[in-house]
């Protein structure tokens, strides 16, 4: 839903007559223009995947990571302005370690999501700050099981079974809804996430991309880690095959 | 001040620091924890309170056994003045009051009860980082993640999780007893009987422990407080029966009971 908010869009501390804060909506546009980021909650954990659009052939594969660890039990996948995303992750790391120091146990994922959301929201309250231009998917595994949260530039945060942000988010959400997540293990989930990312990638508009994935599940002993290389390769191969089958139709 | 010492001179020293020379115990059992303590607060040789309650509530499911003294150094007096408006309070009361306040906020933020590990950690942070405080604490509680847990936080502020813990001046007499009598996986009644027996043994030997035995049992069903009056406890080796006055001994059939 696009509209120009002439006059009411110069500052994040200004409402428009129809009750919108345009600066926050413009920040969301920055997120919508970035590569797709997906997260799903399977029965034994969380899987997150990023369509990392490669700006230049000179870039080393595996650099410019878009999924970053926050604590032993959680990680964040970032869509939108990468530098803004790094700030959010840094804040999340700091909240997680300070909680651990004070309370003696790992921060519950719900609490972490609330703190990150508060911080993102904070930056929409003052005219001398600008809103974060990134949407973040937070996946973690605490004593209440695996949980998936998404934080938008407005500071809104909800808990999800499946979430997607970025260019292909509409198509990705449709694909995620087709999955039976409660019966899927993370091993199977990794393959599905790869297939979805390959599917929503627009070959015409964007050239090359790198698939980056992480998980936190029973198999990884409830620790957040990169998906093991062999499984990642298996997922990529399955995704390419699925794409060819689709093209063949 | 030089006094004329004769045989019957009782040096009370009423200006000595209030001490909860104490016996405190915490024991886990199959399904929860039992906390126990005596009830004597002494100032030198005078018993200032013979029925004190040393087991303090922190949250619905976590309690703490307190021991230690009221420290009269400037720093902690300053602290106590802030919160007790001139009345003296034990360091352990200040610590437990702060922790109760932090835990209350934490519960609201979290949306559910705090765990016993969190309570113990908050106590440890205060105790470890404020070494001028004199507190020996035993935290015991039940939560749905870990079940019943006991944490000992002695003088320096170390935190250690144990299947059972003993503390206070009376605990010196209980180390050997627990080595022999403690076993894993007791029932609730076995555990409570063990605690009552232990406190009672310590009271018999330790002059700074006495009065009644209070116990608190915490499990999934909730919290139960029990009370065992001192004169109903079992008598141990060479213990005299409770007397209203020791002068009664002179009028009894056997005026010299210790004469063998």
């Amino acid at each position: 839903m696009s509209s120009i908010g002439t006059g009411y869009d110069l500052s994040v501390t200004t409402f428009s007559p129809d009750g919108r804060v345009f600066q926050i909506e413009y920040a969301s546009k920055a997120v919508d223009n970035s590569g797709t980021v997906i997260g799903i909650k399977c029965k034994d954990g969380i899987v997150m995947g990023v369509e990392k659009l490669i700006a230049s052939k000179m870039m080393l594969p595996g650099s410019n990571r878009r999924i970053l660890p926050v604590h032993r039990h959680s990680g964040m996948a970032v869509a939108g302005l990468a530098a803004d995303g790094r700030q959010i992750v840094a804040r999340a790391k700091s909240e997680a370690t300070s909680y651990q120091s004070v309370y003696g146990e790992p921060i519950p994922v719900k609490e972490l999501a609330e703190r990150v959301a508060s911080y993102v929201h904070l930056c929409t309250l003052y005219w001398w700050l600008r809103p974060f231009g990134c949407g973040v998917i937070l996946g973690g595994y605490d004593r209440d099981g695996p949980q998936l949260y998404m934080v938008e530039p407005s500071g809104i945060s909800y808990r999800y079974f499946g979430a997607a942000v970025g260019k292909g988010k509409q198509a990705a959400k449709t694909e995620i809804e087709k999955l039976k997540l409660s019966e899927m293990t993370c091993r199977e989930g990794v393959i599905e996430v790869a297939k979805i990312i390959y599917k929503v990638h627009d070959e015409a508009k964007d050239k090359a991309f790198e698939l980056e994935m992480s998980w936190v599940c029973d198999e990884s002993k409830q620790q957040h880690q990169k998906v093991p290389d062999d499984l990642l390769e298996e997922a990529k191969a399955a995704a390419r095959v699925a794409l060819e089958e689709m093209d063949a139709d | 001040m030089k006094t004329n010492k004769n045989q019957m001179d009782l040096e009370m020293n009423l200006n000595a620091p209030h001490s909860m020379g104490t016996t405190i115990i915490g024991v886990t059992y199959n399904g929860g924890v039992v906390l126990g303590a005596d009830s004597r607060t002494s100032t030198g040789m005078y018993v200032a309170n013979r029925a004190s309650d040393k087991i303090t509530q922190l949250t619905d499911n976590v309690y703490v056994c307190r021991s230690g003294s009221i420290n009269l150094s400037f720093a902690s007096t300053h602290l106590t003045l802030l919160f007790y408006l001139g009345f003296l309070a034990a360091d352990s009361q200040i610590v437990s009051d702060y922790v109760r306040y932090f835990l209350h906020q934490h519960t609201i933020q979290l949306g559910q009860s705090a765990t016993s590990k969190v309570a113990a950690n908050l106590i440890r942070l205060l105790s470890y980082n404020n070494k001028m405080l004199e507190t020996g604490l035993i935290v015991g509680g039940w939560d749905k993640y870990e079940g019943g847990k006991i944490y000992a936080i002695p003088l320096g502020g170390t935190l250690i999780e144990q299947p059972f813990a003993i503390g206070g001046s009376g605990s010196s007499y209980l180390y050997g007893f627990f080595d022999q009598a403690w076993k894993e996986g007791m029932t609730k009644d076995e555990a409570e009987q063990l605690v009552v027996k232990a406190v009672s043994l310590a009271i018999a030997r330790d002059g700074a422990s006495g009065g009644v035995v209070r116990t608190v049992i915490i499990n999934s069903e909730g919290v139960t407080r029990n009370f065992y009056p001192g004169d109903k406890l079992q008598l141990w080796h060479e213990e005299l029966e409770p007397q209203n006055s020791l002068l009664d001994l002179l009028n009894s059939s056997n005026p010299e009971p210790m004469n063998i």
Side-chain angles (χ1 to χ4, degrees):
Chain A
M1 189 170 84
S2 246
S3 60
I4 307 168
T6 321
Y8 302 110
D9 61 348
L10 296 173
S11 160
V12 80
T13 54
T14 309
F15 277 99
S16 74
D18 51 346
R20 296 154 70 178
V21 184
F22 279 101
Q23 278 295 307
I24 298 179
E25 294 189 19
Y26 295 162
S28 298
K29 297 250 171 67
V31 180
D32 290 340
N33 288 336
S34 100
T36 315
V37 174
I38 303 176
I40 57 169
K41 173 171 130 79
C42 307
K43 72 177 178 198
D44 64 335
I46 307 282
V47 179
M48 294 188 285
V50 175
E51 173 205 13
K52 203 163 60 175
L53 299 167
I54 301 178
S56 145
K57 287 203 179 81
M58 303 289 247
M59 255 175 52
L60 200 67
S63 66
N64 282 67
R65 297 203 62 82
R66 298 278 292 282
I67 308 184
L68 297 153
V70 169
H71 200 58
R72 260 172 248 117
H73 64 19
S74 50
M76 258 184 193
V78 175
L81 301 175
D84 286 14
R86 240 186 299 285
Q87 267 305 98
I88 297 184
V89 173
R91 179 74 184 206
K93 282 180 181 169
S94 159
E95 293 281 3
T97 43
S98 93
Y99 185 99
Q100 169 100 47
S101 298
V102 171
Y103 296 104
E105 55 179 24
I107 185 170
V109 187
K110 173 172 179 268
E111 183 69 24
L112 179 61
E114 267 171 46
R115 292 194 185 190
V116 170
S118 293
Y119 180 62
V120 171
H121 177 240
L122 186 79
C123 299
T124 66
L125 294 172
Y126 302 102
W127 62 263
W128 64 79
L129 290 174
R130 65 163 175 81
F132 282 103
C134 50
V136 153
I137 294 187
L138 165 65
Y141 201 140
D142 64 21
R143 58 189 186 197
D144 293 315
Q147 289 155 67
L148 183 70
Y149 289 88
M150 183 167 78
V151 185
E152 296 171 24
S154 57
I156 289 178
S157 161
Y158 289 124
R159 191 171 159 187
Y160 291 92
F161 292 112
V165 276
K167 277 195 169 81
K169 71 169 186 249
Q170 271 312 116
K173 278 187 200 162
T174 320
E175 291 303 314
I176 292 173
E177 279 167 27
K178 292 182 191 164
L179 299 172
K180 284 213 178 78
L181 291 170
S182 54
E183 291 161 23
M184 203 184 284
T185 64
C186 278
R187 262 204 171 246
E188 296 159 357
V190 167
I191 313 283
E192 294 303 325
V193 167
K195 282 188 193 163
I196 295 174
I197 293 200
Y198 270 74
K199 190 167 181 188
V200 305
H201 173 68
D202 193 339
E203 275 299 329
K205 289 207 191 124
D206 314 304
K207 296 295 163 177
F209 80 100
E210 192 190 325
L211 176 65
E212 196 180 314
M213 287 219 278
S214 80
W215 67 359
V216 53
C217 56
D218 291 337
E219 209 182 308
S220 73
K221 297 200 181 57
Q222 293 95 37
Q223 316 269 38
H224 178 260
Q225 52 179 226
K226 264 172 60 178
V227 165
D229 289 332
D230 55 341
L231 182 58
L232 190 60
E233 286 313 310
E234 195 189 315
K236 286 183 186 173
R240 278 184 221 112
V241 163
L243 210 55
E244 275 159 27
E245 277 173 17
M246 219 187 61
D247 286 342
D249 290 337
Chain B
M1 192 180 117
K2 269 205 163 201
T3 48
N4 208 2
K5 282 187 191 244
N6 61 45
Q7 275 182 316
M8 293 298 281
D9 212 342
L10 294 163
E11 278 183 37
M12 283 222 176
N13 190 15
L14 293 165
N15 295 315
H18 272 49
S19 169
M20 280 195 282
T22 290
T23 308
I24 50 173
I25 300 179
V27 149
T28 57
Y29 70 89
N30 181 20
V33 297
V34 179
L35 298 176
D38 74 304
S39 68
R40 179 172 288 185
T41 314
S42 44
T43 345
M45 263 228 273
Y46 175 70
V47 177
N49 185 352
R50 64 183 169 104
S52 39
D53 182 8
K54 303 181 186 181
I55 309 180
T56 311
Q57 182 178 29
L58 294 178
T59 70
D60 288 341
N61 53 321
V62 181
Y63 280 65
V64 61
C65 295
R66 298 181 293 109
S67 77
S69 70
I70 295 169
N71 195 343
L72 295 169
S73 75
F74 172 77
S76 63
T77 318
H78 182 65
L79 260 174
T80 63
L81 282 172
L82 281 174
F83 287 88
Y84 284 85
L85 305 163
F87 295 109
L88 282 176
D91 288 348
S92 58
Q93 279 171 304
I94 302 291
V95 169
S96 58
D97 285 351
Y98 264 111
V99 172
R100 190 180 308 119
Y101 166 65
F102 294 140
L103 281 171
H104 183 226
Q105 292 191 312
H106 180 62
T107 304
I108 291 171
Q109 183 82 355
L110 217 58
Q112 58 189 48
S113 311
T115 60
S116 39
K117 194 203 289 190
V118 165
N121 200 56
L122 290 171
I123 294 212
R124 180 267 293 192
L125 285 174
L126 281 171
S127 199
Y128 184 85
N129 292 319
N130 296 291
K131 294 233 196 285
M132 94 278 282
L133 296 172
E134 275 180 43
T135 61
L137 300 161
I138 297 179
V139 179
W142 183 93
D143 58 69
K144 65 184 185 213
Y145 301 107
E146 303 261 11
K149 287 283 175 190
I150 293 285
Y151 297 89
I153 305 155
L155 234 47
T158 27
L159 169 65
I160 177 155
E161 197 251 303
Q162 296 174 294
F164 69 89
I166 55 179
S169 57
S171 67
S172 319
Y173 307 99
L174 298 176
Y175 284 95
F177 172 71
F178 269 90
D179 283 346
Q180 194 246 14
W182 157 262
K183 52 191 199 321
E184 191 74 50
M186 288 186 285
T187 66
K188 180 175 73 148
D189 292 327
E190 281 176 339
E192 201 193 6
Q193 288 318 305
L194 178 68
V195 167
V196 173
K197 186 172 179 184
V199 177
S200 156
L201 283 166
I203 287 173
R205 284 285 174 182
D206 179 30
S209 299
V212 308
V213 179
R214 296 191 196 274
T215 64
V216 172
I217 306 172
I218 313 173
N219 52 33
S220 58
E221 282 145 41
V223 177
T224 314
R225 262 196 182 274
N226 286 324
F227 168 84
Y228 299 87
D231 55 351
K232 300 286 186 301
L233 297 170
Q234 180 188 350
L235 286 173
W236 302 110
H237 178 57
E238 286 185 344
E239 261 200 299
L240 295 176
E241 272 161 25
Q243 316 279 348
N244 281 325
S245 162
L246 288 172
L247 293 172
D248 288 344
L249 282 175
L250 298 169
N251 296 328
S252 73
S253 52
N254 185 9
E256 288 180 84
M258 298 300 283
N259 198 6
I260 298 165

